């Protein structure tokens, strides 16, 4: 698990025009693609280990510094990010947010992370908290799954 998939087919009773033949003819698109990012597997093809975020606060405030613990050495952590849940309407996502957080390594498996400073940078609401290693692999924690990793959930409170 952990790949992305896309595919499609025409509804069974909707004809499409094949302009090369000048007639209405059903054109089936019975195809699919599955993508597995390289960091999901070891060099031999076996599944890579999936480290987890062991603890992080459920709610954070603007500008708050908080502690995050992982089951891997803090030295492998390269990025800490927040990703907002989508708010899509009419194929347009007004709520799309991806926020890079500053952090310091404070212990063997511990990070001290700083939340965004204001609601101008991150509107109040629920976010998925990702910790990424140097390969681009996401370290997971409790929460909903996205693209095969299990991010921790964070809720930014109104100031």
């Amino acid at each position: 698990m952990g790949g992305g998939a896309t595919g499609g087919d025409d509804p069974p009773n909707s004809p499409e025009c094949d302009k090369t033949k000048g007639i209405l003819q059903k054109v089936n698109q019975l195809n699919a693609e599955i993508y597995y990012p390289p960091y999901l597997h070891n060099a031999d093809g076996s599944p890579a280990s999936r480290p987890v975020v062991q603890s992080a606060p459920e709610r954070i405030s603007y500008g708050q510094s908080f502690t995050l613990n992982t089951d891997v050495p803090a030295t492998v952590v390269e990025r800490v990010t927040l990703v907002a849940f989508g708010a899509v309407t009419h194929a347009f996502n007004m709520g799309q947010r991806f926020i890079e957080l500053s952090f310091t390594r404070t212990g063997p498996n511990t990070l001290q992370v700083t939340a965004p400073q204001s609601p101008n940078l991150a509107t109040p609401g629920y976010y998925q908290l990702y910790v990424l290693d140097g390969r681009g692999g996401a370290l997971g924690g409790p929460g909903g799954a996205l693209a095969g990793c299990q991010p921790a959930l964070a809720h930014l409170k109104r100031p």
Side-chain angles (χ1 to χ4, degrees):
M1 299 304 296
T6 182
D9 185 22
D10 300 324
N13 58 358
S14 66
E16 290 188 17
C17 181
D18 180 350
K19 293 183 180 179
T20 62
K21 296 182 180 165
I23 57 172
L24 288 180
Q25 178 181 339
K26 177 74 174 134
V27 179
N28 285 323
Q29 300 292 328
L30 301 175
N31 57 27
E33 295 179 27
I34 300 174
Y35 172 70
Y36 293 100
Y39 60 78
L40 293 178
H41 298 93
N42 296 318
D44 65 1
S46 63
S49 62
R50 306 296 292 278
V52 296
V53 172
Q54 292 180 318
S55 68
E58 286 185 22
R59 290 177 173 256
I60 54 177
S61 298
Y62 292 100
Q64 175 185 346
S65 178
F66 61 93
T67 301
L68 187 145
N69 294 301
T70 71
D71 70 341
V72 297
T75 55
V76 305
V77 175
E78 296 293 326
R79 299 169 76 189
V80 179
T81 65
L82 289 176
V83 178
F85 288 100
V88 178
T89 180
H90 297 86
F92 184 71
N93 187 355
M94 291 281 295
Q96 189 171 5
R97 298 276 190 281
F98 177 87
I99 302 151
E100 194 94 27
L101 302 178
S102 61
F103 69 95
T104 55
R105 296 170 185 92
T106 56
N109 300 71
T110 307
L111 306 171
Q112 196 65 31
V113 183
T114 303
Q117 294 297 318
S118 97
N120 294 334
L121 300 173
T123 56
Y126 291 94
Y127 289 79
Q128 294 176 314
L129 174 66
Y130 286 90
V131 179
L132 301 149
D133 64 16
R135 299 177 307 149
L139 312 183
L146 178 69
C149 60
Q150 296 181 0
L153 298 177
H155 182 247
L156 275 173
K157 298 184 283 188
R158 291 190 182 276

